[in-house]
Amino acid sequence: QVQLVESGGGLVQAGGSLRLSCAASGRTFSRFAMGWFRQAPGKEREFVTTISWSGGSTAYANSVRGRFTISKDNAKNTVYLQMNSLKPEDTAVYYCAAGRRSQFPRDYDYWGQGTQVTVSS
């Protein structure tokens, strides 16, 4: 079992930055790829980014590429999402997930409870 807890969300002005963290429990954390997804009100959960178990391979949604960076620290059982140049359309609840490296939610076995990110214009 892996338990995930996100933190770092909040309210920020457009153009600002936030760093989300996702702390994992469980000794098998390093074996999982990790992903970040987001869900805005009235919309489906959408892929943001994913990173391989080793941290050596990443992928990003087109909407965030060049602005967001995912990283993974297996020693600290933590995955991060650095978000720069935030836009109002980035407003959503952000979820981290552990599983197979993929852009599809169905490929992730464990999910955090989510953290709210609100970007004001």
Side-chain angles (χ1 to χ4, degrees):
Q1 287 284 341
V2 176
Q3 293 184 332
L4 306 173
V5 179
E6 302 98 332
S7 61
L11 174 64
V12 63
Q13 289 187 334
S17 298
L18 281 175
R19 188 175 83 154
L20 305 184
S21 299
C22 175
S25 64
R27 292 181 293 178
T28 59
F29 171 77
S30 62
R31 299 181 182 180
F32 289 97
M34 300 295 295
W36 286 96
F37 291 78
R38 66 187 182 186
Q39 188 166 18
K43 295 187 177 181
E44 293 185 354
R45 190 167 298 190
E46 67 171 356
F47 168 75
V48 176
T49 180
T50 185
I51 189 167
S52 62
W53 68 270
S54 67
S57 181
T58 59
Y60 295 89
N62 289 336
S63 59
V64 306
R65 187 176 293 111
R67 300 187 297 122
F68 290 12
T69 303
I70 189 172
S71 59
K72 189 171 185 266
D73 188 335
N74 286 334
K76 295 183 178 180
N77 281 8
T78 302
V79 63
Y80 304 97
L81 180 63
Q82 178 65 44
M83 305 186 295
N84 298 328
S85 302
L86 282 161
K87 304 176 181 180
E89 51 263 44
D90 294 319
T91 295
V93 177
Y94 283 71
Y95 299 89
C96 72
R100 186 166 64 89
R101 182 172 174 271
S102 167
Q103 63 180 312
F104 300 106
R106 64 175 180 262
D107 292 321
Y108 293 83
D109 301 309
Y110 305 100
W111 291 83
Q113 83 289 348
T115 186
Q116 176 71 46
V117 171
T118 303
V119 184
S120 63
S121 57

